[in-house]
Amino acid sequence: MASSSSLSRLSNLRRHLDPSKTSDNNKGVGLIKVSPEVSEALSNGGPVVALESTIISHGMPYPKNLETAKEVEAIVRGKGAVPATIAILDGIPCVGLSVVELERLANLGTQAQKTARRDIAHVVASKGNGATTVSATMLIASMVGISVFVTGGIGGVHRHGENTMDISSDLTELGRTPVAVISAGVKSILDIPRTLEYLETQGVCVAAYKTNEFPAFFTRTSGCKVPCRVDTAEECARLIDANMKLGLGTGILIAVPIPQEHEASGSLIDSDKNITGNAETPFLLARVNELTGGASLSSNIALVKNNALVGAEIAVALSHLSD
């Protein structure tokens, strides 16, 4: 017999997929296309890991982007979870992409619009193609009931952000959307202390995995301590479970340091500080890749794969809590 928690999930998913049964908090989910694999996993209370799509379209060149996307999904499956890459195709938000859809997105590359929360309505209304950033991926994942999301790194407060107000929407999304984000921290080109201060203001629990220090994407350390340390996937799952049961309504950021053998030079990565807005991440990744002779691309791929491994283990542990 199905447990009460499994039945609750099934009821929630039915509401997600039937616009006539959605609450005010779930309006719009009837517009979302959920793949059969993801839908079945959610209905059965199985582990699902959301994956963003901007890294495919804007994070690396073709065909490396397609190869990496497939490998990341394989890592998630290898740990017993279901990958749910999220993107908007022909105006339809999609949760879980087929191989054909992944190939299409990879080929589109930067022709797909980089889509944050603010852009979703426009991309849908214009029947466009959108590669979702952290904020958009979190929102869509939450709408269909996915609690764990893996990405490379999140945005943050830009340097001199106290004057420019250049603050990533990733941070405000973490403050209002109850999804756990597994990332390698934020890039050292950003203002990490102010980023952490802003997350505190938003009420976001920031935890570091197997370390007391917040990682800085390409580097394992930033000089900033975290208020919460978690050492196992089970500890992460209990943290997420408590956050959901308390109904806090905020996300959780679990920062996973890049594997030591792929760590890069922080001083080199800090070399370009004058790019702002949503052009910053693609520019930074391309520029650093150029300066390092391609080594940073390998590091970027390595940290994403490592995050996928950790995130899948967390999703599996979280599903066991509800058995």
Side-chain angles (χ1 to χ4, degrees):
M1 179 178 293
S3 68
S4 59
S5 59
S6 296
L7 291 173
S8 175
R9 281 197 203 89
L10 179 57
S11 176
N12 286 338
L13 183 62
R14 284 172 176 160
R15 286 198 296 271
H16 290 321
L17 300 182
D18 183 351
S20 68
K21 297 180 180 179
T22 58
S23 68
D24 287 342
N25 291 333
N26 290 321
K27 284 182 177 178
V29 292
L31 300 175
I32 298 173
K33 172 188 169 187
V34 182
S35 74
E37 181 186 23
V38 173
S39 179
E40 181 180 4
L42 290 173
S43 295
N44 295 328
V48 179
V49 175
L51 301 168
E52 61 149 304
S53 48
T54 297
I55 193 171
I56 301 171
S57 62
H58 291 70
M60 56 192 73
Y62 183 85
K64 179 60 71 173
N65 56 354
L66 177 60
E67 176 186 320
T68 301
K70 290 179 177 179
E71 290 173 348
V72 168
E73 288 201 347
I75 289 169
V76 172
R77 286 196 176 92
K79 284 294 178 178
V82 173
T85 299
I86 294 175
I88 301 175
L89 297 174
D90 299 321
I92 300 174
C94 300
V95 179
L97 300 186
S98 67
V99 173
V100 171
E101 289 168 332
L102 276 177
E103 290 177 347
R104 180 183 175 193
L105 186 63
N107 274 290
L108 278 172
T110 55
Q111 294 178 59
Q113 181 172 339
K114 187 176 181 183
T115 304
R117 171 191 268 261
R118 69 168 187 184
D119 308 302
I120 294 173
H122 168 65
V123 176
V124 169
S126 62
K127 300 188 185 303
N129 298 306
T132 55
T133 65
V134 169
S135 64
T137 306
M138 281 186 72
L139 176 61
I140 295 172
S142 178
M143 290 172 75
V144 300
I146 299 175
S147 302
V148 178
F149 161 41
V150 164
T151 185
I154 66 165
V157 177
H158 288 244
R159 298 190 187 193
H160 311 297
E162 69 275 20
N163 298 316
T164 65
M165 295 300 292
D166 194 349
I167 301 171
S168 172
S169 62
D170 296 352
L171 305 186
T172 49
E173 201 63 46
L174 275 160
R176 59 183 172 183
T177 301
V179 170
V181 179
I182 318 302
S183 85
V186 303
K187 299 172 189 68
S188 58
I189 194 174
L190 301 174
D191 189 328
I192 295 178
R194 279 193 172 92
T195 296
L196 294 174
E197 287 287 349
Y198 193 89
L199 287 169
E200 179 185 357
T201 300
Q202 293 290 312
V204 177
C205 175
V206 177
Y209 191 68
K210 297 183 178 181
T211 180
N212 295 311
E213 190 165 338
F214 191 75
F217 197 71
F218 283 122
T219 57
R220 294 174 60 84
T221 59
S222 65
C224 298
K225 301 297 182 184
V226 292
C228 175
R229 171 175 173 152
V230 282
D231 288 297
T232 66
E234 289 71 25
E235 285 184 24
C236 295
R238 287 195 294 271
L239 178 64
I240 297 167
D241 187 55
N243 186 66
M244 291 191 299
K245 286 179 176 175
L246 287 166
L248 298 179
T250 53
I252 295 174
L253 177 60
I254 299 176
V256 181
I258 184 173
Q260 191 165 2
E261 62 271 24
H262 295 285
E263 188 173 22
S265 166
S267 60
L268 176 60
I269 290 164
D270 284 343
S271 60
D272 288 284
K273 301 186 177 71
N274 298 317
I275 307 300
T276 60
N278 67 5
E280 183 271 328
T281 297
F283 174 89
L284 177 64
L285 293 175
R287 178 63 174 147
V288 174
N289 189 52
E290 175 188 338
L291 291 172
T292 61
S296 71
L297 179 58
S298 297
S299 295
N300 190 16
I301 293 170
L303 70 84
V304 171
K305 289 180 177 180
N306 186 57
N307 292 348
L309 187 150
V310 173
E313 290 177 343
I314 292 171
V316 169
L318 183 61
S319 72
H320 288 164
L321 290 180
S322 301
D323 286 347

